[in-house]
């Protein structure tokens, strides 16, 4: 006699239910054995999920008597680095220095720094140029790691950094032939443009300077806040034209790369920062 459709359904359902119960029992037993033999406290699956740590900044902005401000000129479309200038502001001596660091500078990363960068980009070489930073490291963190690279390269501690779009940067700086400078070659150093010099002559009051800094902060990214930047405003207002100097980091230039002379560069920076060079 043929079985009815109802009996067939009931039999199939019972088999499926018994298989589910058997599978669940085996899974539970396996879990209990793991807990027992590994001596894990049975507090639920949530115990195995590591807490999510808040992402810490790679670099911290600092307010220094002799501030070392790293300025990146970047392409507005892809964020690649076009130029790098180190601004040194001596609040005690009321002097201002701008040192051009060629982006084709070649360098060797230390083992410790290279090991950090390999975690981000396994293919990053230990020998590279400054211009390659944004090619290997995502731009969201490239400029911060660029600070670490510059610190290691020049043996200084950067106070803070700013990322400036090229269209804005070019209203402030322009390249000038460097043949008569301390460098042994003619690599151009960055100096104020004529238009920016004219603009500076028009700033006479604290209110004007504050307004200018606020406008600039709407167009750039800096890890130093606008409020903290205002701490340097008094020194900026006191600086005379004769106390603003432009230079190129000491080294030699070739068609393919720029090589920093570590000994000369150290003496050069010491002349600008004195005892603050390593701070």
């Amino acid at each position: 006699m043929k079985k009815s459709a109802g009996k067939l359904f009931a039999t199939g359902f019972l088999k499926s239910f018994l298989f589910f119960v058997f599978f669940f029992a085996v899974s539970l037993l396996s879990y209990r054995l793991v807990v027992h033999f590994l001596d894990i406290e049975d507090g639920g699956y949530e115990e195995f999920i590591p807490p999510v740590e808040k992402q810490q900044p790679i670099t911290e902005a600092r307010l220094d008597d002799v501030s070392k401000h790293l300025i990146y000129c970047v392409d507005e479309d892809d964020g690649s680095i076009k130029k790098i200038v180190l601004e040194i502001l001596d609040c005690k001596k009321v002097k201002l220095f701008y040192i051009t660091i060629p982006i084709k500078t070649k360098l060797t990363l230390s083992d410790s720094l290279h090991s950090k960068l390999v975690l981000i980009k396994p293919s990053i070489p230990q020998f590279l140029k400054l211009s390659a930073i944004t090619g290997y490291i995502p731009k969201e963190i490239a400029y911060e790691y660029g600070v670490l690279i510059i610190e290691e390269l020049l043996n200084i501690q950067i106070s803070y950094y700013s990322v400036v779009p090229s269209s804005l940067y070019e209203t402030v700086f322009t390249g000038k032939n460097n043949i008569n400078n301390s460098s042994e070659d003619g690599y151009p150093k960055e100096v104020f443009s004529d238009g920016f010099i004219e603009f500076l002559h028009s700033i006479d009051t604290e209110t004007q300077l504050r307004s200018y800094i606020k406008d600039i902060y709407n167009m750039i990214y800096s890890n130093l806040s606008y409020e903290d930047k205002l701490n340097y405003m008094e020194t900026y207002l006191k600086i005379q034209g004769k106390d603003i100097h432009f230079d190129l980091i000491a080294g030699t230039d070739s068609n393919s790369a720029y090589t920093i002379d570590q000994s000369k560069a150290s003496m050069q920076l010491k002349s600008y920062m004195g005892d603050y060079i390593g701070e």
Side-chain angles (χ1 to χ4, degrees):
M1 179 182 291
K2 294 183 179 180
K3 294 183 179 179
S4 67
K7 287 183 178 180
L8 287 172
F9 174 79
T11 302
F13 177 79
L14 181 60
K15 288 180 178 179
S16 299
F17 178 75
L18 291 174
F19 174 77
F20 173 77
V21 171
F22 174 74
F23 178 78
F24 177 77
V26 170
S27 299
L28 182 60
L29 178 61
S30 299
Y31 169 72
R32 292 296 182 183
L33 288 173
V34 170
V35 170
H36 174 72
F37 285 109
L38 295 183
D39 196 25
I40 300 174
E41 183 179 352
D42 186 10
Y45 289 101
E46 292 181 0
E47 294 290 326
F48 296 95
I49 302 175
V52 177
E53 295 184 1
K54 183 178 178 181
Q55 180 65 42
Q56 296 297 318
I58 299 166
T59 60
E60 298 275 3
R62 297 155 39 107
L63 289 172
D64 296 320
D65 289 336
V66 178
S67 77
K68 286 78 69 180
H69 173 202
L70 194 65
I71 302 171
Y72 294 104
C73 166
V74 303
D75 184 276
E76 294 172 63
D77 294 325
D78 61 17
S80 59
I81 300 171
K82 298 300 181 184
K83 295 182 179 180
I84 299 177
V85 173
L86 177 63
E87 178 197 69
I88 299 174
L89 176 64
D90 189 329
C91 298
K92 292 185 176 181
K93 296 180 180 179
V94 194
K95 292 182 180 295
L96 186 59
F97 304 90
Y98 290 94
I99 300 94
T100 299
I101 304 172
I103 62 167
K104 66 175 184 175
T105 296
K106 63 180 182 180
L107 58 108
T108 303
L109 298 171
S110 67
D111 291 340
S112 59
L113 183 52
H114 184 244
S115 63
K116 292 179 182 178
L117 296 177
V118 164
L119 297 176
I120 301 168
K121 185 73 171 181
S123 63
I124 190 169
Q126 196 161 3
F127 307 93
L128 73 163
K129 295 179 183 178
L130 291 176
S131 58
I133 293 174
T134 48
Y136 285 103
I137 309 173
K139 66 180 181 180
E140 292 79 10
I141 55 175
Y143 311 116
E144 287 191 274
Y145 275 106
V147 168
L148 299 184
I149 291 171
I150 295 293
E151 288 181 334
E152 185 174 88
L153 179 65
L154 302 181
N155 192 29
I156 63 174
Q157 186 163 20
I158 301 299
S159 305
Y160 62 102
Y161 73 92
S162 298
V163 181
V164 183
S166 57
S167 59
L168 174 60
Y169 176 93
E170 289 165 3
T171 66
V172 178
F173 292 101
T174 186
K176 180 180 180 181
N177 191 282
N178 202 49
I179 292 176
N180 296 323
N181 199 254
S182 59
S183 175
E184 298 173 358
D185 55 73
Y187 192 94
K189 63 181 177 181
E190 297 297 294
V191 300
F192 287 158
S193 65
D194 292 339
F196 187 67
I197 292 173
E198 184 178 349
F199 169 74
L200 287 179
H201 289 157
S202 69
I203 296 181
D204 298 318
T205 67
E206 180 178 324
T207 301
Q208 289 175 316
L209 182 58
R210 182 188 294 268
S211 176
Y212 171 69
I213 294 175
K214 186 174 182 179
D215 289 341
I216 289 293
Y217 260 73
N218 288 329
M219 295 183 281
I220 70 171
Y221 171 77
S222 180
N223 69 333
L224 184 74
S225 69
Y226 164 71
E227 291 74 19
D228 283 340
K229 181 70 173 181
L230 294 180
N231 284 282
Y232 295 117
M233 191 166 60
E234 182 180 352
T235 304
Y236 281 123
L237 282 171
K238 290 180 180 179
I239 291 176
Q240 303 295 313
K242 63 181 179 61
D243 296 318
I244 302 176
H245 306 275
F246 304 89
D247 207 347
L248 172 71
I249 196 70
T252 54
D253 184 36
S254 66
N255 291 331
S256 60
Y258 190 87
T259 305
I260 292 178
D261 186 316
Q262 296 294 338
S263 178
K264 289 183 179 180
S266 179
M267 292 176 61
Q268 181 184 20
L269 293 173
K270 187 173 179 62
S271 70
Y272 303 144
M273 294 184 279
D275 294 334
Y276 293 89
I277 187 167
E279 297 182 7

